[in-house]
Amino acid sequence: MAMSKFTDTIADLPSGVKIVGGALVAGAVLVAVWRRLGAQHTKRKVYPPDTIVIHQLGRGPYVPSLTPFAIKLETYFRLEGIPYQVEHDLLKKSKKTGKVPFLQYNGEEVSDSEFILEFLSKEKDFDLYRDLTPEHIGIGRAFQKMAEENTYWCFVADRWVLDKTKTALKESGIPRFLWGRMQKKVWTQIHAQGIGRHTPEEIRHIMSGDLKAISDYIGSKKFMFGEKACKFDCAVFGILAEIRWASFGGFGTSVIKQYPNLCEYCERMKETFWPDWNEYIQRDCTK
């Protein structure tokens, strides 16, 4: 009876009051859910000295991480045989930059995959450009920056906003009521970067042009500069792997298939450095 009177009272309220009240309730629910999801961050793990810990979004499906920059880092560590640990957390980001992945090392936090590698090269005393000529370094950096600063944003637009199936949002574990906010935030970033000012057809064209450039340069070579993979292969592979296997319902998969040697290159990188790939794309994988 009491509940019936309560609902009757709500029904009699002016529409403006009900809208405001509904917004307040929705906001309270959002805050409660967000706090619950973030409660796990209160406990800080203690790691042995000199342990490389990479914080990232989580495993798969189809790729070991939904961020190409985590794949870049892990592939490089595997290439060099550098021990590391991974912590998976959808919400935890760098306190300094708000980016993922980020490094935790002896109590110090380093954000941005490139800064992470530069930092560790000094701490662990390894050469990021071993066996590469100055010409290789120049070419490699140019292709890496194209992939990470241009191709990447085409892919982000394709996966998170333009894909009408919303598969990436479903697979990422993001609560459905946050999808709209997530897409709006991503689109704001893409628009500010510049890619988002183009039509979907133009964005696809830009991605295809970038992949053609990489395809033409790699040609029939095993890796970017011959028989041995390097740091730049890890960076380019991170982007290509996402397009090849994790475009979901977007156009990325069909675009990269236009360049068979890039698909073969992705398979070669996977077989060489990720023989356990299938194990690491399991949903319950926490390694």
Side-chain angles (χ1 to χ4, degrees), residues 10-19:
I10 291 179
D12 291 336
L13 289 174
S15 60
V17 174
K18 286 190 283 186
I19 291 173

Side-chain angles (χ1 to χ4, degrees), residues 18-30:
K18 286 190 283 186
I19 291 173
V20 173
L24 291 174
V25 171
V29 172
L30 177 60

Side-chain angles (χ1 to χ4, degrees), residues 16 22 32 38 44 58 81 92 96 114 155 158 171 196 216 226 244 271:
R44 297 188 62 182
K92 192 170 185 178
K96 296 179 179 179
E114 202 63 19
F155 168 71
D158 178 37
E171 297 287 2
D216 288 344
R244 176 74 176 87
E271 292 171 3

Side-chain angles (χ1 to χ4, degrees), residues 88-126:
H88 304 286
D89 195 326
L90 182 63
L91 298 179
K92 192 170 185 178
K93 298 180 180 180
S94 167
K95 295 179 181 178
K96 296 179 179 179
T97 64
K99 298 176 71 173
V100 177
F102 67 91
L103 168 74
Q104 185 178 345
Y105 183 80
N106 289 342
E108 187 168 357
E109 179 186 299
V110 182
S111 180
D112 189 283
S113 61
E114 202 63 19
F115 287 148
I116 289 172
L117 290 179
E118 291 178 5
F119 171 83
L120 289 175
S121 70
K122 297 176 182 178
E123 292 291 323
K124 297 293 188 180
D125 191 28
F126 58 81

Side-chain angles (χ1 to χ4, degrees), residues 32-46:
V33 172
W34 197 257
R35 286 178 176 174
R36 183 176 180 180
L37 290 173
Q40 56 187 305
H41 301 160
T42 59
K43 296 183 179 180
R44 297 188 62 182
K45 292 185 179 180
V46 178

